[in-house]
Amino acid sequence: PTASGSVACYGPNAYHSPMTPTIDLLMQHCSVRRYTDQAVSDEHISAIVAAGQMAASSSFVQTTTVIRVRNPDTRAQLCEVSGGQPYVANAPALLIFCADLHRNAQCCAMHGQSMQSGFIEQLLIASVDAALVAQNSVIAAESLGLGICYIGALRNDPQRVADLLGLPEQCFAVFGLCLGYPDQETQTKPRLPHSLMLREERYDGADDPSLIADYDATMRDYYASRSSNVKLQSWSEPMSALLGQKESRPHLLAFLRQRGLATR
Amino acid sequence: PTASGSVACYGPNAYHSPMTPTIDLLMQHCSVRRYTDQAVSDEHISAIVAAGQMAASSSFVQTTTVIRVRNPDTRAQLCEVSGGQPYVANAPALLIFCADLHRNAQCCAMHGQSMQSGFIEQLLIASVDAALVAQNSVIAAESLGLGICYIGALRNDPQRVADLLGLPEQCFAVFGLCLGYPDQETQTKPRLPHSLMLREERYDGADDPSLIADYDATMRDYYASRSSNVKLQSWSEPMSALLGQKESRPHLLAFLRQRGLATR
């Protein structure tokens, strides 16, 4: 892998040459956490969200609400929730993507129905809907020369986020999205080889341990060779530290249930 | 709205003119359910999935596995699970997007750890990860002239899908994706106005019922005027029928728990 975004690491399934300008854009993605002072115009935010909304939506439920936060005090508090990621406070634009079944509950009320709520299926649909809208928005933003960073750490304290943003029942913030014009070098990270993640007909993971070991070597080379933030680590090591040694936001289930989500 | 994909229905936040060719592509999306016989090449599938993988991944967990299904018998069974959607059997390509924490559990095992599993946070991360990968894949595919249709209805019988595809513990099929070259006219559907889904600083839904009523009128006009599959319906009516009158896949919670997901 090189700073120019080569993806030779893909191995036999490598994607070597641009097929379309849009694929070329997708292949250049990396998260951007340092931005210039240039503002993101309202017109661009509007276009970015409009492009986001054109993503497919399960049964056309359209369960995504986007909240743009500019207020410095709210931004500072969201930054605190995120564990102090400075761009949450300082990025030129911050959008909060909410999974929002409240609007759909209102549709039911308009027709004399009460929404049959609380199904984990609905949580899944609403979260996937928000993710599809967000990823389309990200691609739109990157096509305009912007850089982005997702902020999943808002789920560190989802109740505080809900209170700050005045979220109704049946609605919660899945993640935030920082946007701005990049003020850093960007370098793409090698992804899992297709031998590990693209399969034919059935799962069959018999070779996975040795394939993960190979990918670990790729990642060790990548982290050691990059131009900044050099690290000595593989892929499986940080995964083991993340998922083997730490609980994953154990407060979330009680929060979602209290929101009227994921109770059945 | 017109067949050419105008989005005048967005109102004051309307996106009127293409800002970038990629945004223009995103704005033209509609689901495609009829395809020509032309195959999707292995090279294109590989590029589509590679572009998908370049989406951001929370803590770089890379919890998405894609299974390409060609076997006609498996395709027929998946079609049955989907409630008989014929393109699940007949589309030139079918990819199944799985939320897959099994690979991450293997990483833990490689380092002498046992994954602390079962958190709903992990279900959310893995499902959002799959959605981000899928949406990037969709954009890549559409840039190549392909049409797509998501298949959420695989969750009608997630255990049968898991058995058919040999999915391990900690892994389930979130949705399928049909791909092929379009053999139908396409027409974009008006999305929620920004007054309803893009908010400043806080949620504030006081005007929502009247805004939903306005959008209902937009949708009634759209369904009545389209070139095929004309319907007399609004937006809030089918939402009310979907969410007020029917349970939402009530079997899913037990399935996810049995998979080792969403127990805490």
Side-chain angles (χ1 to χ4, degrees):
Chain A
T2 70
S4 70
S6 149
V7 288
C9 50
Y10 276 106
N13 292 301
Y15 172 67
H16 286 297
S17 57
M19 288 189 173
T20 67
T22 294
I23 293 182
D24 205 27
L25 176 76
L26 295 170
M27 296 305 295
Q28 298 303 316
H29 169 77
C30 80
S31 292
V32 171
R33 295 182 175 82
R34 285 202 310 275
Y35 310 97
T36 70
D37 289 338
Q38 192 183 341
V40 185
S41 71
D42 289 352
E43 192 192 7
H44 278 185
I45 292 290
S46 185
I48 286 164
V49 174
Q53 289 181 273
M54 292 310 295
S57 174
S58 173
S59 302
F60 209 44
V61 286
Q62 301 188 87
T63 48
T64 307
T65 288
V66 176
I67 302 183
R68 180 172 189 183
V69 181
R70 309 183 207 226
N71 181 298
D73 182 59
T74 313
R75 294 281 296 262
Q77 293 196 58
L78 292 172
C79 174
E80 217 173 277
V81 170
S82 80
Q85 297 177 56
Y87 28 96
V88 176
N90 301 329
L94 175 67
L95 301 177
I96 311 297
F97 283 78
C98 302
D100 182 7
L101 287 150
H102 177 70
R103 197 165 36 227
N104 307 75
Q106 284 190 305
C107 291
C108 294
M110 285 168 70
H111 296 280
Q113 303 272 352
S114 175
M115 188 164 87
Q116 299 213 31
S117 61
F119 293 102
I120 201 161
E121 163 72 4
Q122 295 168 338
L123 172 72
L124 215 55
I125 281 187
S127 304
V128 165
D129 198 275
L132 299 183
V133 171
Q135 190 56 21
N136 254 19
S137 297
V138 161
I139 301 314
E142 291 182 339
S143 81
L144 290 162
L146 289 157
I148 66 94
C149 182
Y150 279 101
I151 310 295
L154 296 185
R155 295 192 303 275
N156 286 340
D157 192 346
Q159 187 60 57
R160 188 172 172 197
V161 175
D163 293 342
L164 276 169
L165 304 180
L167 302 185
E169 283 290 286
Q170 306 279 348
C171 176
F172 80 104
V174 189
F175 45 71
L177 187 70
C178 292
L179 301 107
Y181 294 91
D183 189 26
Q184 65 175 71
E185 273 184 63
T186 60
Q187 188 174 11
T188 60
K189 237 188 231 181
R191 262 53 177 180
L192 287 173
H194 282 182
S195 51
L196 262 170
M197 74 75 71
L198 174 58
R199 294 163 194 266
E200 298 285 331
E201 304 302 342
R202 285 176 63 87
Y203 194 96
D204 184 12
D207 296 334
D208 287 7
S210 76
L211 291 167
I212 292 174
D214 291 346
Y215 178 60
D216 274 348
T218 302
M219 288 305 294
R220 247 182 248 113
D221 288 347
Y222 161 77
Y223 284 121
S225 71
R226 66 184 181 181
S227 48
S228 64
N229 199 12
V230 172
K231 293 180 197 177
L232 293 176
Q233 72 175 28
S234 66
W235 181 65
S236 66
E237 286 156 8
M239 285 306 110
S240 172
L242 181 72
L243 295 162
Q245 293 168 23
K246 286 181 204 159
E247 298 201 307
S248 296
R249 299 194 172 108
H251 55 271
L252 195 64
L253 185 56
F255 164 79
L256 290 171
R257 286 182 172 161
Q258 187 263 325
R259 285 269 111 184
L261 298 160
T263 57
R264 52 176 171 166
Chain B
T2 71
S4 69
S6 148
V7 289
C9 50
Y10 276 107
N13 293 300
Y15 172 66
H16 287 296
S17 56
M19 288 188 174
T20 67
T22 294
I23 293 181
D24 205 27
L25 176 77
L26 296 170
M27 296 306 295
Q28 298 303 317
H29 168 77
C30 80
S31 293
V32 170
R33 295 180 174 85
R34 286 202 308 275
Y35 312 97
T36 70
D37 290 339
Q38 191 182 342
V40 184
S41 71
D42 290 353
E43 192 194 7
H44 279 185
I45 293 290
S46 184
I48 286 165
V49 175
Q53 290 180 273
M54 291 310 293
S57 175
S58 174
S59 302
F60 209 44
V61 287
Q62 301 187 88
T63 48
T64 306
T65 287
V66 176
I67 303 183
R68 181 173 190 183
V69 181
R70 310 183 208 227
N71 181 298
D73 183 59
T74 313
R75 293 281 295 263
Q77 292 197 58
L78 293 172
C79 175
E80 218 174 275
V81 170
S82 79
Q85 298 177 56
Y87 28 95
V88 176
N90 300 330
L94 176 67
L95 302 178
I96 311 295
F97 283 79
C98 302
D100 181 7
L101 287 149
H102 176 70
R103 196 164 40 225
N104 307 76
Q106 284 190 305
C107 290
C108 294
M110 286 167 70
H111 296 280
Q113 302 273 348
S114 174
M115 188 165 82
Q116 301 212 28
S117 61
F119 294 102
I120 201 161
E121 163 72 5
Q122 293 168 339
L123 172 71
L124 214 56
I125 280 185
S127 304
V128 165
D129 198 275
L132 301 183
V133 171
Q135 190 54 21
N136 253 20
S137 298
V138 162
I139 301 313
E142 292 182 338
S143 81
L144 290 162
L146 290 158
I148 67 95
C149 183
Y150 280 102
I151 309 295
L154 295 184
R155 296 192 303 275
N156 287 340
D157 192 345
Q159 186 61 57
R160 188 171 171 199
V161 176
D163 293 342
L164 276 169
L165 304 180
L167 303 185
E169 282 290 286
Q170 307 280 346
C171 176
F172 81 105
V174 190
F175 45 72
L177 187 71
C178 293
L179 301 105
Y181 294 91
D183 190 24
Q184 65 174 72
E185 275 184 62
T186 59
Q187 186 175 11
T188 60
K189 238 190 236 182
R191 263 50 177 181
L192 286 173
H194 281 182
S195 50
L196 263 170
M197 73 74 69
L198 175 57
R199 294 161 195 266
E200 297 286 330
E201 304 300 343
R202 284 175 64 86
Y203 193 95
D204 184 14
D207 295 334
D208 286 6
S210 76
L211 291 167
I212 292 174
D214 291 347
Y215 178 61
D216 274 347
T218 301
M219 288 305 293
R220 248 182 248 113
D221 288 348
Y222 161 77
Y223 284 121
S225 72
R226 65 184 183 181
S227 49
S228 66
N229 199 12
V230 171
K231 293 181 197 176
L232 293 175
Q233 72 174 30
S234 65
W235 182 64
S236 65
E237 285 156 8
M239 285 307 110
S240 172
L242 181 72
L243 295 162
Q245 293 167 26
K246 286 181 204 156
E247 299 201 306
S248 296
R249 299 194 173 107
H251 53 272
L252 196 64
L253 184 56
F255 165 79
L256 290 171
R257 284 181 175 161
Q258 187 263 325
R259 284 269 113 181
L261 298 159
T263 57
R264 53 177 170 165

